[in-house]
Every structure is written in C-alpha cells, then in structure tokens.
Amino acid sequence: MPITKRCLAEFIGTFWLVFGGCGSAVLAASFPTGDIANPLGIGLVGVSLAFGLTVLTMAYAIGHISGCHLNPAVSFGLWACKRFPGNELLPYIVAQVLGGILGAAVLFLIASGSAGFDVSAGFASNGFGEHSPGKYSMVAAFVAEFVLTFMFLMVILGATDRRAPQGLAPVAIGLALTLIHLISIPVTNTSVNPARSTAPALFVGGWAVAQLWLFWIAPILGGIAAGFAYYFAFEPSAREQELKPDFEG
C-alpha cells in the first residue's frame, strides 16, 4: 500500500478520534451545559467509552490499510518493537496531527453554534496543575501519561502479535483506551496521544499550548519503552521462529 494512501487513512482515523472523543466531552458530557446531574449527559464513563469506540471502529475500518496508529506514541512504540520503519514515522505523525486538527476545527465550528460555548473553558484540552480536572501536579500527570501509554502499547503489541487470536485486536485495544480514560480523566483529561492533545490546544491557546510539551514527551517515552520491553521480553527469537510449529504447541 503506497505511503500516501496509508497517511490518508491515518488522517481520517485521527480526525475521527479527536472529533468523536473530544466531541463527546465538549458536546455531551454534561447536557444541558453545566448541569452535570442531568441524566442526558454521558459523563466521564460516556466520554471514556466514546474514545474507545473511535479507536475500535477505525481499527476495523483502516487497520488493514495503515495499521490504525492514530497516535504518534503508537507509531514510535511500533518502531521500537521493530514493527514499523523509522523512515515512515514523520509522514505518519504529520498525517495524525493534521487529521486531529481538522477534527478539532469541525468540533469548534459545531460547538460555537451554542450561545453558551466558551473555548477558554478548556475545549477538552489536557493539562496539569490548575488545569488538571483534579488539580494533579505536573509530576503526577507525567507519571500517569507515561505509565498509561506504556500499558496501552503493551496491549496493542500483544493483541496484534501474530500469535494472538485473530480478529479481536480492535476490541482489546478499544477497551484498553476506554479503561485508560476511566483512570486518568481526573488527572490530565487523558492524552496518551500527542496528536489528540495538540488539536484542541491550538484552539484554546495560552496555557493549553504552554503545557503541551508534557503530552508529547510522556506518551512518546512511554510508547518507546513499551516497544523495547515487548521486543526484548516477548518477541520470538530466531530459534523460536525456526521451531514455529513446535513453539505454537
């Protein structure tokens, strides 16, 4: 598959992740706006599920085209595990970031149609300190983003391993992202994805852009660490490859 088509798939997939995930937070988490007790609002659980569903649906839609990374940290993790070529990292990441920005732009256009919309309220941006939903420190935010991205990549690498049950990887990956959001929305509003963090931050500006560095560095380091860990701990050796029939039982 040509790199242009794979990058287009990544662009569309990341658009869907940001529009669907962040859209659920901006438009539907508390509805009517500000009434968190209203039963029509989907709340934290609904937003977590929405992010998981965007990845699950796109994994089935474009996984066979681009691998459905939708996330620079995932691309770096797959590279570290020797499953993705380093010379394709930049075009993938550019496509992911641009797709995310378009998703945020469409969401901004829709959300601004409401008289009560205020982009300075956060627009689903990620943050720490005063801009953390639970006022968590920078260190807490960094640790959360690193560890949760590490575990996300471990799930991705394990679920897509050729020895794993076939056809179920999108379910495992989507549910993993749902769980990650259930854990960390109070801490950072959940990133584990630099493209997802960049898109809304550009519309909020100010503090959101100033704190964006953490949501690039921590997820990418977590992804790379998981890629190396999985490769050295769990990838079959050359000898195991030679004995593949016996190795697989």
Side-chain angles (χ1 to χ4, degrees):
M1 184 73 68
I3 185 67
T4 52
K5 290 186 177 181
R6 288 185 281 129
C7 285
L8 178 60
E10 287 293 302
F11 177 90
I12 294 170
T14 313
F15 164 87
W16 184 234
L17 183 147
V18 170
F19 179 69
C22 295
S24 70
V26 172
L27 304 176
S30 57
F31 181 83
T33 302
D35 184 6
I36 60 174
N38 192 296
L40 292 178
I42 63 174
L44 184 154
V45 174
V47 173
S48 300
L49 185 59
F51 271 100
L53 288 173
T54 62
V55 171
L56 188 154
T57 52
M58 274 295 115
Y60 280 117
I62 66 169
H64 56 289
I65 299 171
S66 69
C68 192
H69 299 189
L70 316 185
N71 181 342
V74 172
S75 297
F76 271 104
L78 292 170
W79 164 78
C81 198
K82 302 187 186 303
R83 296 193 193 176
F84 188 70
N87 62 355
E88 293 185 357
L89 279 171
L90 182 59
Y92 259 56
I93 292 170
V94 169
Q96 292 157 2
V97 171
L98 292 179
I101 292 172
L102 180 62
V106 174
L107 176 58
F108 180 86
L109 181 64
I110 295 170
S112 61
S114 170
F117 174 67
D118 180 9
V119 72
S120 66
F123 197 51
S125 291
N126 302 114
F128 54 84
E130 286 300 309
H131 303 290
S132 157
K135 309 304 179 188
Y136 284 83
S137 69
M138 180 182 70
V139 173
F142 193 98
V143 171
E145 290 292 326
F146 179 92
V147 171
L148 290 170
T149 310
F150 180 94
M151 293 309 303
F152 189 38
L153 262 294
M154 292 299 284
V155 172
I156 291 171
L157 293 167
T160 58
D161 194 307
R162 57 189 174 278
R163 298 162 293 175
Q166 298 299 301
L168 297 177
V171 177
I173 295 167
L175 289 176
L177 189 60
T178 298
L179 175 58
I180 285 167
H181 279 77
L182 289 171
I183 296 168
S184 62
I185 285 178
V187 183
T188 62
N189 217 19
T190 309
S191 171
V192 301
N193 183 340
R196 171 264 183 270
S197 296
T198 299
L202 294 179
F203 288 84
V204 175
W207 67 265
V209 173
Q211 294 190 354
L212 191 56
W213 64 269
L214 186 145
F215 302 103
W216 274 86
I217 294 175
I220 287 176
L221 289 179
I224 291 174
F228 284 135
Y230 195 93
Y231 180 79
F232 288 109
F234 302 124
E235 284 288 285
S237 66
R239 179 59 176 163
E240 288 170 334
Q241 290 279 28
E242 292 173 5
L243 300 174
K244 186 176 180 181
D246 294 333
F247 176 69
E248 294 184 342

